[in-house]
Amino acid sequence: MSELRISKSAYLHNLAAIAKKAGGESRVMAVLKDNAYGHGARIIAALANEFGLRRAVVRSLDEALEIAEFFEQILILSHIPDGNEPSEAGNCALVYGINELDALNAIKAGSCVHLACDTLMHRNGLRFEELERAYEIARKRGVSVLGAYTHYRSADEYSGEFDVQKNNFARFKARVRELSVKFGTPAPVFHSHNSAATERAASEEGELVRVGMAQFGYAQFDESLDLHRVASLWADRVSHRVLTKGESVGYGGVFTASEEIAVATYDLGYGDGLLRYAGFGDLRLANGAKILGKMSMDSFSCEDVGEKVCVFDDANVWAKFFGTINYDILVKLSPRIKRTLID
């Protein structure tokens, strides 16, 4: 049975390195959206809890409820308010990101929120001139504004936009502080640094950091963090045979043996979320074996390398081949693939 092996020691090592860079574990929010970037939300949430992290970030309410037992507070980034949000008076275990002004009128009264701030990306968030109106609506509806955040559009690129957004967010933060005093709300929490920004520069004084791919061992700037890959994808052999010279394997006969070769079929395919290899180009498994012929929905063929094979232990290999990013490779892995915690 195919499986994604999750290294506990690698994950805890990465969190220790990140926490050191961020100024302590209390400053780190674990971003566990999209099944923890394909790694398995509940497995990773339990490890983050064991390490001592108390805050997480997810995409949806369903994702938050799945891991709620592991954290004191979870921020939901992409919730679409409908007035039925789970909330208890005085309990801010679930915090909703407010991505536009109208959301404050739609969300359930008494909910706890963080205000998204549009500092350059122009995807989600309030504009600077909307902040006071946001506080007015929140007070009228009994919504608790606990903090504010932004997202960098170019933290992983060497350009001046990173500094522009940092300066823009500093202006937002100053205004939010003023408004929290004016409206008598708690001292606000701020966060802006994603993985790339956290690697690139120390977070701003007093800010939390939202760490996604770095926790899984994929650095973009700071190799000195010595991050370790957390996941390795394994497949089991379904069958094996010997091809004689001139025989082909798979749909369309794309691969034809030039000499006698032992081949095997393994139980992973594009139906499991792998990007479909069409049989052309040199795509190799972790041990160097080349995939032979077109990938099928539920399987692929390669030289027979035994009962189990590591498909990849570095998503960058597949990302480079398909002209995409490591995120794309990992988040597509089907939740049906067994996640197994090791070491």
Side-chain angles (χ1 to χ4, degrees):
M1 182 179 183
S2 59
E3 63 178 350
L4 190 70
R5 296 179 182 175
I6 305 298
S7 170
K8 176 179 179 178
S9 61
Y11 185 69
L12 296 181
H13 166 88
N14 294 344
L15 289 188
I18 292 164
K20 183 177 180 180
K21 181 76 180 283
E25 63 192 42
S26 64
R27 300 274 293 276
V28 179
M29 306 169 76
V31 183
L32 303 182
K33 61 184 182 143
D34 296 282
N35 201 24
Y37 294 69
H39 289 70
R42 286 188 61 82
I43 287 179
I44 298 300
L47 292 178
N49 172 276
E50 180 179 331
F51 180 79
L53 300 191
R54 296 294 174 257
R55 297 174 187 257
V57 182
V58 296
R59 173 184 181 181
S60 66
L61 177 58
D62 286 345
E63 289 184 346
L65 295 177
E66 182 183 6
I67 60 172
E69 66 191 90
F70 299 107
F71 300 99
E72 294 176 3
Q73 191 172 86
I74 299 177
L75 171 64
I76 305 170
L77 293 174
S78 299
H79 177 70
I80 300 175
D82 60 6
N84 296 308
E85 289 76 19
S87 62
E88 301 175 17
N91 181 1
C92 289
L94 298 178
V95 177
Y96 301 92
I98 295 298
N99 292 302
E100 63 178 5
L101 202 59
D102 288 346
L104 284 169
N105 286 311
I107 202 164
K108 183 178 179 180
S111 296
C112 301
V113 304
H114 283 189
L115 304 178
C117 300
D118 184 3
T119 57
L120 191 64
M121 198 170 194
H122 307 321
R123 184 180 66 177
N124 298 321
L126 307 180
R127 295 186 180 275
F128 184 84
E129 59 271 17
E130 294 178 314
L131 287 176
E132 184 161 9
R133 180 58 181 154
Y135 271 83
E136 290 172 350
I137 296 171
R139 181 169 65 180
K140 180 180 178 180
R141 303 199 65 247
V143 172
S144 297
V145 178
L146 303 182
Y149 64 99
T150 196
H151 189 61
Y152 294 111
R153 78 181 191 185
S154 302
D156 58 347
E157 300 174 7
Y158 288 107
S159 76
E161 289 185 352
F162 179 58
D163 293 315
V164 169
Q165 282 198 259
K166 287 176 69 175
N167 291 336
N168 288 345
F169 190 49
R171 182 166 170 254
F172 271 86
K173 289 194 295 184
R175 183 60 173 151
V176 167
R177 289 190 182 101
E178 290 175 356
L179 292 169
S180 69
V181 172
K182 178 177 179 178
F183 286 85
T185 61
V189 169
F190 298 110
H191 45 100
S192 63
H193 280 50
N194 56 7
S195 286
T198 301
E199 296 165 34
R200 182 170 179 169
S203 61
E204 300 303 303
E205 183 65 30
E207 280 195 19
L208 305 176
V209 300
R210 302 186 308 269
V211 178
M213 279 295 275
Q215 66 189 305
F216 303 116
Y218 291 90
Q220 293 163 296
F221 281 94
D222 191 355
E223 295 298 336
S224 69
L225 287 177
D226 186 31
L227 301 179
H228 298 173
R229 305 278 189 260
V230 170
S232 58
L233 180 63
W234 293 76
D236 282 352
R237 189 173 64 189
V238 176
S239 66
H240 58 110
R241 69 204 61 244
V242 174
L243 295 183
T244 61
K245 181 179 180 179
E247 288 187 321
S248 302
V249 64
Y251 287 112
V254 171
F255 172 78
T256 300
S258 59
E259 58 185 3
E260 186 175 282
I261 181 175
V263 300
T265 298
Y266 292 88
D267 67 340
L268 277 173
Y270 61 83
D272 300 298
L274 292 174
L275 296 186
R276 180 179 174 272
Y277 175 64
F280 303 100
D282 193 23
L283 179 58
R284 295 184 179 270
L285 307 177
N287 67 357
K290 185 180 184 300
I291 296 181
L292 303 176
K294 295 180 180 180
M295 178 179 285
S296 299
M297 185 182 295
D298 305 315
S299 63
F300 66 85
S301 298
C302 67
E303 184 177 355
D304 189 357
V305 291
E307 293 185 0
K308 286 185 177 291
V309 64
C310 182
V311 178
F312 63 73
D313 53 15
D314 181 356
N316 288 320
V317 174
W318 282 57
K320 182 177 180 180
F321 181 86
F322 285 103
T324 186
I325 56 177
N326 46 35
Y327 296 73
D328 192 29
I329 301 301
L330 291 166
V331 300
K332 283 184 166 63
L333 295 178
S334 171
R336 296 192 307 272
I337 298 173
K338 180 182 179 182
R339 271 68 173 173
T340 304
L341 187 63
I342 61 173
D343 63 27

